[in-house]
Amino acid sequence: MSAHAETLHHGPAKGFSRWILTTNHKDIGTLYLVFSLIMLFIGGTMAFVIRAELFQPGLQLVMPEFFNQMTTMHGLIMIFGAVMPAFVGLANWQVPLMIGAPDMALPRLNNFSFWILPFAFTMLLSTLFMPGGAPNFGWTFYAPLSTTYAPPSVTFFVFAVHMMGISSILGAINVIVTIFNMRAPGMKMMDLPLFVWTWLITAFLLIAVMPVLAAVVTMVLMDVHFGTSFFSAAGGGDPVLFQHVFWFFAHPEVYIMVLPAFGVISEIIPTFARKPLFGYRAMVLATASIAFLSFIVWAHHMFTVGMPLAGELFFMYTTMLIAVPTGVKVFNWISTMFKGSMTFETPMLFAIAFIVLFTIGGLSGLMLAIAPADFQYHDTYFVVAHFHYVLVPGSVFGIIAGVYYWLPKWTGKMYDEKLGQWHFWLSFIGVNLTFFPMHFVGLAGMPRRIPDYALQFADFNMLTSLGAFLFGTTQLLFVYILVKTVRSGKPAEQLPWEGARGLEWSVPTPAPYHTFTTPPELDKE
Amino acid sequence: MAHHSAYYVPPQSHWPIIGAVGLFLTLGGAAALIYSLQQESDSLLAQIMLNSGALILAGMMIGWFAAVIAESRQGLYSPQLDRSFRYGMSWFIFSEVMFFFAFFGVLFYIRMFAVPWLDGEGDKGLASMLWPQFEATWPLLEAPNPDQFPPIREVINPWHIPLINTVLLVGSSFTLLAAHKALKREDRGKLKGWLSLTILLGLTFLGLQIYEYIHAYTELDLTLKSGIYGATFFMLTGFHGAHVTIGSIILLVLLFRVFQGHFTPESHFGFEAGSWYWHFVDVVWIFLFTTVYLL
């Protein structure tokens, strides 16, 4: 059939239309990654405003109302605009390459999933310029803050979230179908690279919980505009119900943002330790267990809301159970490195920092899981420290590590190793300087989401702000490194990393526009 | 293992970006319309956005599906690609299941916890002090604060219209099954008959549902604003009704395609996807009928 030949060998289109009309998984992966980088800087700018205001006690720069808008928008943009799209970008690039597929299973749908996002965030960001300002109720949009006391822009927030949800669900369907249906002949599920496994489970979580987010924002919209009383006790509803539905979505969402990072790390550690991953089956099972547990732990975010004792206990114990599979993962990563011939290129540095710092975030999570202790920690900076440790040196380091690791294959060029090392060390110092002191001010009782604080927290807050400025500015270096690599990087080899295994390294460097148009032969080891 | 004839990777397509613009205009227009109603400001621009967005979305769907159908009829699709569609549709329906799951969860939480707590049950005793006269019942005719949420006179009798609707919708699943069997037997006449009957049943269901809503609003004082019973009732039945509407449109398109001579006994994924969706909507109704109307 001649139509086949034509469609399979079309190269990239000329001009800008390539990026708008593309059905190519590599183009779409690039779009996702670039979009996520832009969002990282927009969300980062908001973090700058927050940290500048908190540099010293007292109100200096912004009004409390605007401060609340900044914390809300920072959270929403980083979660839905920066971290999630970055992982979808990595999946777009890597899943077809790693399983020997010609493209994603549904290429046009793939383009649709991406192009919804810029519109969704245009809508969300436009709320900053509306009368009454942007959403100010925190990214968790608890009722009644998001219903009775919400600014008028809440309506646009609701529809923007709907668009992000549609994008995520369609993207996840594509990933899951690709993995189930597009594997090279002979590649069994238990042959899948761990990055693919973690994304499979992430995609399942996305399809399961994004509709719940859609439901909860819809109920907010109904309560605000159409007189329903889902979250109003005066009508027989319950504001606590909001928290239950929201966290039923948002707890799996937390794992959506970190499981693919686990996958990236599980690819990088074996490469630079020059040993196969320790305990592959255990890693797969641990990931699946974490995903399962994520559905039955949600109310640990609500220990202080006034739940029956049985609820407190149930959610405390299930939450603590998560430490078991997570511990398995950390143990396996370390065992992979044990007695390996390790080298410490930039991706490996970020990966090792991931293991150490993510574990710190995991341990503070365990502290928060203890219901009676949580009464002290709840809504303090200790919580902020906890989730930033799992999200920044967790998810974000995972993404950066993945980008450095696969960049040579994507671009055909090698990044500047020396600058990469600078990027790592500055980020590492910055991230710890920012978030470590938050533990102390949090334990001492400094509440989160507040533009002013008591004098005794001043020193630690100044340190935190300095760290944030360092970390934020360092990411400009990351952009410089990326641009430099694409423009004038040295040509990369077919196999840029000595210890790297997997189908993605079997294609030429840079990866041609179309790869695996006929499925590859697998050589069984 | 799978058949691995070359997988069809479509060339550049303008449908997704048209869809993204359409979606933006539709949802942005809807948001702006609701916003301007709330602010009592002019809503002309919002209406233009909403309507043009909806038109663009409709055009996108027609164009995109037409392109896929044309490619399929050219024989570009391998069995592997057919599986991609099947898996894709199944996971999409799973996402819809989770959407309804959330609303059913809300209903159960309200009935099992929130309403009894407001009446002083359990160890959350404080809630009952807000409205001491409140009595927990289900169906909840009078909300804790009846001034803000006016009471319901009576709820819908499940043994009248809802029962008829149950018979109609469950019946329509069987007529659709009969249509599918006829399609597999290549009995085009029966296929058209059964499919048309399915659509007729679906539309009758919708008509009765609309009648029931009018009845609820005008005679029973059962509205969205009448406290949590009205809220859950209209949210669940309303989203279900929206899905029946979408399902009916899908079936109408299928009927149109049948008349165009599409579908063969071996290859008729479009028909199957549509019928999966219809059966899903039917199953949701059975849960609705039991937990919203009966119990």
Side-chain angles (χ1 to χ4, degrees), chain A residues 348-413:
Chain A
M348 183 62 161
L349 288 174
F350 275 103
I352 294 174
F354 172 97
I355 299 175
V356 176
L357 301 182
F358 177 82
T359 304
I360 293 178
L363 291 175
S364 57
L366 263 180
M367 291 171 69
L368 288 162
I370 303 165
D374 181 73
F375 277 63
Q376 171 69 19
Y377 310 144
H378 190 87
D379 257 348
T380 68
Y381 255 86
F382 189 77
V383 178
V384 181
H386 157 69
F387 70 73
H388 278 96
Y389 257 90
V390 289
L391 275 173
V392 186
S395 310
V396 175
F397 273 24
I399 294 161
I400 294 175
V403 169
Y404 275 115
Y405 182 57
W406 286 307
L407 196 62
K409 187 52 78 185
W410 299 343
T411 62
K413 313 270 183 63

Side-chain angles (χ1 to χ4, degrees), chain A residues 24 169 188 245 332 380 448 450:
Chain A
N24 181 284
I169 292 171
K188 299 195 185 68
V245 187
N332 285 8
T380 68
R448 63 188 286 208
I450 196 154

Side-chain angles (χ1 to χ4, degrees), chain A residues 34-57:
Chain A
V34 170
F35 175 79
S36 138
L37 194 62
I38 295 168
M39 285 296 138
L40 183 78
F41 279 98
I42 295 177
T45 309
M46 293 167 177
F48 259 59
V49 174
I50 294 168
R51 284 322 313 177
E53 175 56 50
L54 294 173
F55 190 71
Q56 285 184 318

Side-chain angles (χ1 to χ4, degrees), chain B residues 205-225:
Chain B
F205 173 94
L206 279 174
L208 285 174
Q209 190 80 353
I210 292 167
Y211 172 80
E212 184 183 282
Y213 275 16
I214 295 171
H215 176 63
Y217 260 79
T218 52
E219 284 156 53
L220 306 180
D221 290 342
L222 170 58
T223 71
L224 271 173
K225 296 182 170 130

Side-chain angles (χ1 to χ4, degrees), chain A residues 131-149:
Chain A
N136 56 5
F137 28 68
W139 85 275
T140 50
F141 61 104
Y142 276 17
L145 295 177
S146 59
T147 53
T148 316
Y149 306 105

Side-chain angles (χ1 to χ4, degrees), chain A residues 74 115 195 205 295 327 332 345 357 426 504:
Chain A
H74 165 75
W115 276 106
F195 177 71
L205 291 179
F295 284 106
N332 285 8
E345 287 87 346
L357 301 182
L426 289 173
E504 80 258 44

